[in-house]
Amino acid sequence: SGTRLLGVINDILDFSKIEAGKLAIEQTEVNLADVIGRTLDLVRDRAEAKQLDLRVTLAPDLPVSCISDPLRIGQVLLNVLTNAIKFTEKGTICVRILTETHQTSVSVQDTGIGLTTAEIKKIFHPFSQADSTITRKYGGTGLGLAISKKIMELHRGTISVESTKGVGSTFTLTLPRKEEGA
């Protein structure tokens, strides 16, 4: 209960900082594979407790580094992974890291409860969740994805979702790649 309360307090503080324009984002070279590995270590026990299959695929051409804030990218990834585990009763959660010309993307795909189109439109808004039955069953404040969206925007990146109700969801984070010579 204490850990949960601390998480809610930290979300409220982060949201307040974002609203006040005071959330600082570090722009440094980050080994994305290391950040993902540390984040997976934080959630692995929860996935195993639910007997979920947690898979990771790294792009063979994954750059050694990207430009971001390792703490904040880890926070966003932790939020998305925690949600995937929370809303998946059985099956698989796949984390994929892909590289494209100017960006690196991290997708988290689950076989969870999924979302309708109407629910997708609400989930990135503060204090919003898919619906009230979800809040009653799974808990949460409705701040995690709103904070994650703002953090990704501060990184000049994005967070998006594709989902099918009853089938699962895929959340994708994109980050700009380090410019050559920069």
Side-chain angles (χ1 to χ4, degrees):
S1 294
T3 302
R4 228 172 156 177
L5 180 59
L6 182 59
V8 170
I9 291 168
N10 285 334
D11 280 350
I12 292 168
L13 291 171
D14 282 346
F15 184 73
S16 297
K17 286 180 194 174
I18 289 168
E19 289 298 301
K22 300 290 185 188
L23 185 69
I25 297 292
E26 185 179 357
Q27 293 293 312
T28 188
E29 284 190 48
V30 174
N31 184 317
L32 192 56
D34 287 348
V35 171
I36 291 166
R38 285 191 299 273
T39 306
L40 287 169
D41 287 344
L42 294 172
V43 300
R44 190 167 275 112
D45 288 345
R46 285 181 243 174
E48 288 173 357
K50 291 181 79 172
Q51 299 180 338
L52 299 174
D53 184 15
L54 187 59
R55 299 178 186 171
V56 179
T57 304
L58 299 175
D61 60 341
L62 185 66
V64 173
S65 64
C66 66
I67 302 299
S68 70
D69 181 328
L71 175 67
R72 296 301 178 180
I73 291 302
Q75 178 181 357
V76 172
L77 187 57
L78 182 61
N79 179 267
V80 172
L81 280 166
T82 301
N83 283 347
I85 293 167
K86 181 183 350 180
F87 297 115
T88 302
E89 294 302 322
K90 63 181 181 174
T92 305
I93 297 170
C94 296
V95 180
R96 290 184 184 87
I97 298 93
L98 305 169
T99 59
E100 299 170 36
T101 305
H102 298 291
Q103 67 185 24
T104 299
S105 64
V106 179
S107 67
V108 176
Q109 180 181 21
D110 66 56
T111 56
I113 62 174
L115 300 161
T116 65
T117 303
E119 292 168 340
I120 288 171
K121 290 178 183 178
K122 298 190 308 186
I123 63 170
F124 292 109
H125 297 284
F127 304 106
S128 294
Q129 293 190 331
D131 67 39
S132 60
T133 59
I134 300 248
T135 305
R136 281 192 302 277
K137 183 173 181 180
Y138 297 100
T141 60
L143 283 174
L145 289 173
I147 291 168
S148 295
K149 182 176 188 225
K150 293 293 186 181
I151 288 171
M152 293 307 296
E153 289 170 353
L154 290 169
H155 277 90
R156 296 182 329 271
T158 62
I159 182 171
S160 60
V161 62
E162 293 179 13
S163 189
T164 303
K165 191 74 169 179
V167 176
S169 302
T170 301
F171 282 82
T172 303
L173 318 175
T174 61
L175 289 167
R177 287 188 59 179
K178 179 183 172 198
E179 306 263 336
E180 293 301 320

